[in-house]
Amino acid sequence: MNIQPTQIDAYKLIHDGVLTLARAEQAGMRIDVEYCERKKTHLTRKIARIEANLSKTDLVKQWKKINRQNFNMDSNDQLGKILYDVMEIKPPKTTKSGKGSTDEDTLSQIDLPELKDILRIRKLRKVRDTYLDAFVREQVNGWLHPFFNLHTVRTFRSSSSDPNFQNIPKRDKEAMNICRRAIFPRKGHQLIEVDFSGLEVSIAACYHKDPTMMKYLKDPHSDMHGDMAAQIFCIDDFDKQKHPEHKFLRGATKNSFVFPQFYGDYYANNAQGFCSSWLHLPLGRWKPGTGPDMPGKTKLSDHMISKGIKSYQDFEDHMKKIEKDFWGRRFYVYQKWKDLWVEAYQKKGFFDMYTGFRCSGIMRKNEVINYPVQGAAFHCLLWSFIQLDKILVGRYRSRLIGQIHDAVILDVHPDELEEVAYIIKKVTCRDLPEAWNWICVPLDVDADLCPVDGSWNMKESYKLPGV
DNA sequence: GGAACTCGCCAC
DNA sequence: AAACGTGGCGAGTTCC
């Protein structure tokens, strides 16, 4: 039996979802206000110290002289003028409106020690002003109740606000620790976070059914990112277990090539992203003995030069071929689906997601391809969230408190942990694909658990039971 | 003094 | 030929 969800089903999902998310909002989470205040003061002092040091440098002296009483170290407008007009540095990149960029990627390409301090200040301010400040502002008697909206996003995903619970630092360890240290479970409880692994890639596969991708998703020993890393860096004996260096290149490939390609990016951006964010290789000629480590005592540039890739331009040309192979051979069925999907939209003026949601209006090609995947992937999380709430409410002390697109955050009582973990696994990996049989790839979830009474930065990998 | 804008940056 | 999808939010800036 093959039952496609209709617009009625989509409508019901939204309504159930709104009620369930409202319950999570009402539940809320504990926030350590005293800690936030302490940390804010600490960060303010730290920023002041860096600013004091910066004031002694020629760059800032000149900056002050030019801007007089308007001088503001947080003004990127002023910084751009100093760098690109006064000092006549050629902007490595420009913004949409044509001004020289002053973002992290750009500043780190300019060889001025002061800019490191400026970036450091930016990072600390971000943590203080966007997160700690917001936590204190939005909390009520030590409780935080972030909003989760279902009516704001074009793809029928969710959004969160006041404070936004969906963008609290995670990758940057320092920022992560400072921000998540503020968030606590109920007394005697513990926080657990469960996320679908590679959900959007899996949901995309439900639409395009590319055989190569299906194999990657069904064979646990296969490794798409590893295969791409081996191809991009011309490595015959690729082994991420054996070589941490290979593991690093795999991560770079995932973030600089595979995912951006799935979102509709192209090779030249990928090549630049690789070089500036990961490989630290220049946009000109590559010198021997530079770039990340490779197994043995060599560096990546040595290896690439030996393979005939001796400069950025060589690398970009190389990436062009990789891209052509990626869509023209490796995932050619995926490519064909993209073409047909866009063509159908152009004829009809709308498309329907597998979850019954209809998108219409004028959309660019990349939007037409991305929306159905992004939306339906989130709906998998939402469906699971609703089911979990139905099971837990009234019967368990554990409760759902938040959601981040493909992840759910619960506040569990330790006595219920094992049972709740089993329920989560069952709902997400068994019940969901049974309810929506357009899901034709296996789904999997990973979990992180915090200690009892431990804050959200203390999470450690937690193995969920099989079902 | 607020609205609307740009830019930068955090998450998925 | 074109060229990264979805948000929220803070600070600076410009305009009314």
Side-chain angles (χ1 to χ4, degrees):
Chain A
M1 132 178 121
N2 194 14
I3 311 155
Q4 284 290 330
T6 62
Q7 287 188 71
I8 305 285
D9 296 313
Y11 176 89
K12 283 182 188 153
L13 186 72
I14 288 287
H15 279 248
D16 291 345
V18 165
L19 294 176
T20 309
L21 288 168
R23 207 190 326 273
E25 289 173 359
Q26 192 171 20
M29 55 201 80
R30 286 170 65 215
I31 187 102
D32 187 340
V33 182
E34 209 226 324
Y35 159 79
C36 290
E37 295 290 9
R38 234 176 27 238
K39 200 69 200 177
K40 271 170 61 182
T41 309
H42 178 221
L43 289 173
T44 301
R45 288 209 190 104
K46 235 172 168 169
I47 291 164
R49 272 201 299 274
I50 303 168
E51 280 180 350
N53 273 332
L54 263 174
S55 296
K56 297 176 202 152
T57 63
D58 288 340
L59 178 83
V60 175
K61 276 183 192 160
Q62 208 170 4
W63 183 347
K64 276 184 180 165
K65 219 164 94 187
I66 287 161
N67 296 90
R68 304 268 169 192
Q69 71 277 25
N70 280 332
F71 167 78
N72 184 346
M73 208 178 278
D74 306 324
S75 166
N76 290 327
D77 248 35
Q78 292 180 17
L79 176 60
K81 274 175 197 138
I82 299 289
L83 292 176
Y84 306 130
D85 297 343
V86 179
M87 299 176 72
E88 295 184 334
I89 295 167
K90 185 176 172 296
K93 212 170 63 179
T94 57
T95 67
K96 223 175 172 178
S97 70
K99 283 188 282 192
S101 295
T102 57
D103 62 3
E104 183 181 358
D105 186 53
T106 308
L107 294 190
S108 52
Q109 284 178 49
I110 299 171
D111 189 22
L112 279 176
E114 294 92 333
L115 298 179
K116 297 242 179 350
D117 285 337
I118 293 192
L119 290 175
R120 177 79 184 142
I121 289 172
R122 262 194 209 162
K123 199 177 114 175
L124 299 176
R125 287 178 61 95
K126 173 93 178 168
V127 166
R128 186 190 62 183
D129 300 343
T130 304
Y131 299 105
L132 298 182
D133 250 8
F135 293 166
V136 173
R137 187 180 63 240
E138 302 295 341
Q139 59 85 28
V140 180
N141 299 327
W143 289 84
L144 204 59
H145 303 272
F147 289 96
F148 295 100
N149 311 301
L150 291 178
H151 64 287
T152 61
V153 182
R154 300 177 62 182
T155 61
F156 301 103
R157 239 197 193 183
S158 67
S159 69
S160 170
S161 65
D162 309 294
N164 183 349
F165 185 67
Q166 297 178 322
N167 72 347
I168 299 170
K170 183 174 193 179
R171 291 164 202 157
D172 183 293
K173 284 279 171 289
E174 186 191 20
M176 185 280 281
N177 271 312
I178 296 173
C179 297
R180 298 191 178 210
R181 157 74 179 76
I183 294 169
F184 279 84
R186 285 155 175 74
K187 275 215 168 59
H189 284 222
Q190 54 196 142
L191 298 173
I192 183 169
E193 183 172 353
V194 182
D195 70 305
F196 283 102
S197 31
L199 186 61
E200 284 197 17
V201 174
S202 295
I203 296 311
C206 297
Y207 285 92
H208 61 65
K209 298 184 175 64
D210 183 283
T212 310
M213 184 64 82
M214 293 303 243
K215 222 190 252 170
Y216 278 125
L217 295 175
K218 286 178 179 174
D219 176 5
H221 301 295
S222 68
D223 178 11
M224 171 173 58
H225 301 302
D227 289 353
M228 288 318 301
Q231 191 183 359
I232 288 169
F233 297 105
C234 317
I235 300 169
D236 306 322
D237 61 337
F238 186 89
D239 189 338
K240 66 175 172 177
Q241 257 73 319
K242 207 156 115 195
H243 304 300
E245 298 87 350
H246 288 176
K247 198 175 165 186
F248 172 82
L249 294 177
R250 180 185 179 278
T253 300
K254 182 172 133 183
N255 290 307
S256 295
F257 180 76
V258 180
F259 283 150
Q261 282 287 334
F262 288 157
Y263 286 137
D265 201 4
Y266 85 121
Y267 67 91
N269 278 341
N270 300 154
Q272 278 186 39
F274 258 122
C275 291
S276 64
S277 310
W278 295 86
L279 309 181
H280 303 294
L281 288 169
L283 296 182
R285 243 188 129 62
W286 290 359
K287 284 201 271 292
T290 56
D293 291 333
M294 290 295 275
K297 274 190 183 156
T298 55
K299 298 278 184 185
L300 183 71
S301 68
D302 303 318
H303 173 74
M304 295 304 275
I305 290 166
S306 80
K307 298 285 179 186
I309 295 163
K310 298 171 183 163
S311 65
Y312 171 76
Q313 194 52 55
D314 289 349
F315 184 59
E316 193 186 288
D317 295 344
H318 174 63
M319 291 302 295
K320 187 175 181 175
K321 287 182 208 146
I322 301 273
E323 182 190 84
K324 189 164 183 287
D325 182 67
F326 190 79
W327 293 111
R329 178 190 64 86
R330 199 181 283 265
F331 295 123
Y332 75 98
V333 177
Y334 193 162
Q335 176 63 53
K336 211 157 136 196
W337 172 80
K338 292 201 288 186
D339 294 342
L340 290 173
W341 185 262
V342 172
E343 202 186 302
Y345 158 74
Q346 285 169 341
K347 266 204 195 106
K348 296 183 296 184
F350 68 86
F351 60 81
D352 291 327
M353 297 182 188
Y354 274 169
T355 45
F357 290 82
R358 176 162 293 183
C359 292
S360 48
I362 295 169
M363 287 174 266
R364 288 178 290 268
K365 195 174 155 184
N366 283 342
E367 293 173 329
V368 174
I369 291 159
N370 284 321
Y371 287 9
V373 175
Q374 190 181 100
F378 168 67
H379 299 143
C380 291
L381 187 282
L382 186 59
W383 188 94
S384 307
F385 199 93
I386 294 165
Q387 292 303 309
L388 284 170
D389 185 63
K390 276 188 193 159
I391 295 169
L392 295 181
V393 79
R395 280 191 287 273
Y396 291 82
R397 283 169 285 182
S398 305
R399 44 178 99 212
L400 295 151
I401 60 167
Q403 158 272 127
I404 314 177
H405 307 303
D406 69 346
V408 19
I409 290 82
L410 299 96
D411 176 303
V412 292
H413 190 282
D415 294 350
E416 297 172 353
L417 175 62
E418 277 189 41
E419 204 177 332
V420 168
Y422 176 83
I423 294 167
I424 295 172
K425 179 90 176 192
K426 180 177 166 298
V427 165
T428 52
C429 299
R430 206 167 76 195
D431 300 346
L432 171 65
E434 256 174 50
W436 284 344
N437 64 3
W438 54 266
I439 299 176
C440 56
V441 298
L443 297 182
D444 197 15
V445 287
D446 294 315
D448 286 306
L449 179 68
C450 302
V452 174
D453 291 321
S455 49
W456 199 20
N457 60 323
M458 299 170 77
K459 64 184 183 184
E460 290 196 18
S461 181
Y462 175 73
K463 197 168 155 26
L464 291 168
V467 284

